[in-house]
Amino acid sequence: MWPTVEERRVESRPQASQVGGGSRRGPDGGRAAVAALAVGERPSPCDLGQSSAVQVPSSRSEVARGSMERWRDRLALVTGASGGIGAAVARALVQQGLKVVGCARTVGNIEELAAECKSAGYPGTLIPYRCDLSNEEDILSMFSAIRSQHSGVDICINNAGLARPDTLLSGSTSGWKDMFNVNVLALSICTREAYQSMKERNVDDGHIININSATKYAVTALTEGLRQELREAQTHIRATCLKPEDVAQAVIYVLSTPPHVQIGDIQMRPTEQMS
């Protein structure tokens, strides 16, 4: 079952119908709740529509039957895919039949996950790629390789991030720079290159998903700015910001929404914190 949707914002978009509201309990028996900002139908870049609820699927299988099929055999890039959230997202996408390039500084774990996915008979493919996201040349080389070997990126999931105990009062400048380089600059570079990859191939239904956390709060502002830029460019490429909890399921939910609905932000927290 999908987590409860606590709040939503829907804007109008052409050739789309209003979607009914609904709420569901989460896969953990209701401990998690989702707050989603959804950008839906819009007749022009300047006109905002009335608020409307987004119906949340009652199960993961319902999502898969609904619209994940359009992503089958298309390519998703997942950064920081060697473990944790990145590995879970990569696995979930391979289960849905996507080609997934999973990148990290070391790829041993990704190679093991790729073998597991193949042994499990998942319809998609996981492709390990070694990339140091703190190095722009590495990032550009990765996108060049994806372009030459797989045409280009349709989904970019910016998951990689550093978390260090460098406080404002006693932290080191080098530590701050390391976090900023990976958490913000690398994310921005990947976003730029993914968008250019989509644009040059006339991909107008791509999706950029940023995984956020307390140490990456700037990503929230960046994602909103990106959403506005995509809107001004009159493209249907979507941008979403996700908090870490239950991210793999949230990614599938976001990707499964109809092309005329955009989830701008999803925040999950225990339901007891909502009262």
Side-chain angles (χ1 to χ4, degrees), residues 40 71 78-79 103 105 118 122 165 182 195 220 229 259:
W71 296 113
V78 180
T79 67
C103 76
R105 285 180 296 180
K118 184 176 181 179
Y122 296 155
V182 174
Y195 172 72
T220 300
E229 288 189 30

Side-chain angles (χ1 to χ4, degrees), residues 2-3 26-28 31-33 85 243-251 268:
W2 284 100
D28 57 359
R31 288 185 299 105
I85 290 172
K243 309 305 186 292
E245 300 85 355
D246 297 326
V247 167
Q249 294 181 34
V251 165
M268 288 164 283

Side-chain angles (χ1 to χ4, degrees), residues 136-181:
E136 182 174 8
E137 290 304 316
D138 264 24
I139 298 175
L140 298 181
S141 294
M142 175 177 64
F143 275 91
S144 178
I146 292 173
R147 181 183 299 109
S148 62
Q149 298 174 26
H150 306 287
S151 180
V153 173
D154 298 300
I155 299 169
C156 178
I157 300 178
N158 290 307
N159 164 72
L162 293 178
R164 294 183 175 176
D166 288 308
T167 67
L168 287 175
L169 299 181
S170 61
S172 66
T173 304
S174 61
W176 296 336
K177 286 182 177 179
D178 288 344
M179 285 193 290
F180 193 85
N181 282 341

Side-chain angles (χ1 to χ4, degrees), residues 83-211:
I85 290 172
V89 169
R91 180 193 295 273
L93 294 177
V94 172
Q95 285 179 300
Q96 295 292 336
L98 281 78
K99 290 188 294 184
V100 179
V101 172
C103 76
R105 285 180 296 180
T106 57
V107 295
N109 289 346
I110 305 177
E111 291 171 343
E112 292 179 7
L113 180 58
E116 291 175 14
C117 291
K118 184 176 181 179
S119 298
Y122 296 155
T125 305
L126 177 57
I127 305 159
Y129 193 96
R130 181 178 289 103
C131 179
D132 181 356
L133 291 167
S134 65
N135 186 326
E136 182 174 8
E137 290 304 316
D138 264 24
I139 298 175
L140 298 181
S141 294
M142 175 177 64
F143 275 91
S144 178
I146 292 173
R147 181 183 299 109
S148 62
Q149 298 174 26
H150 306 287
S151 180
V153 173
D154 298 300
I155 299 169
C156 178
I157 300 178
N158 290 307
N159 164 72
L162 293 178
R164 294 183 175 176
D166 288 308
T167 67
L168 287 175
L169 299 181
S170 61
S172 66
T173 304
S174 61
W176 296 336
K177 286 182 177 179
D178 288 344
M179 285 193 290
F180 193 85
N181 282 341
V182 174
N183 297 358
V184 179
L185 290 182
L187 178 147
S188 299
I189 296 168
C190 288
T191 295
R192 179 191 67 200
E193 296 304 310
Y195 172 72
Q196 293 299 327
S197 174
M198 297 174 198
K199 184 178 179 181
E200 68 188 18
R201 294 176 296 121
N202 296 317
V203 172
D204 196 41
D205 66 340
H207 209 133
I208 298 168
I209 299 177
N210 296 328
I211 310 302

Side-chain angles (χ1 to χ4, degrees), residues 48-103:
L48 296 183
Q50 298 296 321
S51 293
S52 143
V54 176
Q55 185 173 356
V56 181
S58 59
S59 68
R60 273 176 282 180
S61 60
E62 182 180 335
V63 168
R65 290 195 305 270
S67 53
M68 280 302 292
E69 186 63 27
R70 72 187 177 95
W71 296 113
R72 196 176 184 88
D73 295 326
R74 296 176 72 178
L75 190 132
L77 169 66
V78 180
T79 67
S82 61
I85 290 172
V89 169
R91 180 193 295 273
L93 294 177
V94 172
Q95 285 179 300
Q96 295 292 336
L98 281 78
K99 290 188 294 184
V100 179
V101 172
C103 76

Side-chain angles (χ1 to χ4, degrees), residues 225-242:
L226 170 62
R227 188 179 70 81
Q228 296 295 340
E229 288 189 30
L230 291 172
R231 184 176 181 180
E232 290 172 3
Q234 297 184 336
T235 176
H236 292 85
I237 296 170
R238 300 183 291 180
T240 300
C241 185
L242 296 177

